[in-house]
Amino acid sequence: MARTAYLAGPDVFLPSAAANAAAKIAICACHGLTGLAPFNPKLDLSLPPDILWRQIYLDDIAMMQASDLVIANLTPFRGASADSGTLVEIGWFLGRARPVFGYSNTAASFAERSAAQAAAVADPLPGLAIEPFNLPDNLMIPGCVEYGGGLPITLPPDGISRPFDSLDIFELCVAAAVRHLGP
């Protein structure tokens, strides 16, 4: 029986969100997974915003409940760290003891990205520390992935960052998750 993977990430904000979701679902199928992307083309976007956001949330929760594991796009999004909504989703899976796998298309460490951000936008309080662990994100995120799924966050093996919407590191993560979980 094929496992179902919830495909968490801010990919729904891409101009090509539908094509990205379809490509990710196809990659999952090639590896024996059923992918569920939080992209609902049937959603009535003309709903009032106070109803629409709730419907999106409920749709996502329903897909998460129907999934055996999560594969999360942890590529930094609008800042030095992963998307906050994606982090809620991986926490949801961790809290239910369902496997958590993640990838990032960015090769730079969280410390490098945080230092660059602090140089561009002053911290709200001078002298705030930056984590010195050379991890791909705040230590809680790789911890959630490693202890929740058994593998570290999948990163570009050649040390070269990819565009946000690149799918080669996603495919490496899917393949690694399938190998790790076994038949």
Side-chain angles (χ1 to χ4, degrees):
M1 185 168 84
R3 289 183 177 100
T4 300
Y6 180 74
L7 308 177
D11 309 73
V12 296
F13 299 112
L14 291 169
S16 58
N20 180 274
K24 284 184 157 189
I25 290 167
I27 289 168
C28 285
C30 287
H31 291 276
L33 289 177
T34 299
L36 289 180
F39 178 79
N40 183 351
K42 297 176 187 166
L43 192 60
D44 181 0
L45 299 178
S46 69
L47 291 170
D50 63 323
I51 294 172
L52 181 59
W53 78 260
R54 287 177 173 90
Q55 189 58 56
I56 293 169
Y57 172 81
L58 294 172
D59 284 355
D60 289 355
I61 293 294
M63 282 187 276
M64 290 162 49
Q65 289 171 333
S67 298
D68 303 303
L69 63 134
V70 62
I71 298 175
N73 181 352
L74 300 171
T75 304
F77 184 71
R78 295 183 172 150
S81 191
D83 170 59
S84 57
T86 304
L87 300 179
V88 169
E89 291 168 332
I90 66 172
W92 187 95
F93 279 88
L94 183 69
R96 283 157 182 78
R98 295 183 193 178
V100 176
F101 299 96
Y103 72 97
S104 176
N105 288 334
T106 300
S109 73
F110 180 58
E112 292 174 81
R113 297 190 313 269
S114 295
Q117 183 171 328
V121 179
D123 279 334
L125 181 65
L128 291 175
I130 293 176
E131 287 185 8
F133 303 117
N134 198 36
L135 294 170
D137 215 310
N138 172 282
L139 68 89
M140 295 302 287
I141 300 167
C144 178
V145 173
E146 189 168 320
Y147 289 95
L151 298 174
I153 294 173
T154 303
L155 300 171
D158 57 8
I160 299 171
S161 294
R162 308 296 199 271
F164 183 86
D165 60 348
S166 178
L167 296 177
D168 64 316
I169 307 305
F170 168 76
E171 185 160 16
L172 291 175
C173 182
V174 170
V178 169
R179 277 192 311 275
H180 183 71
L181 293 171

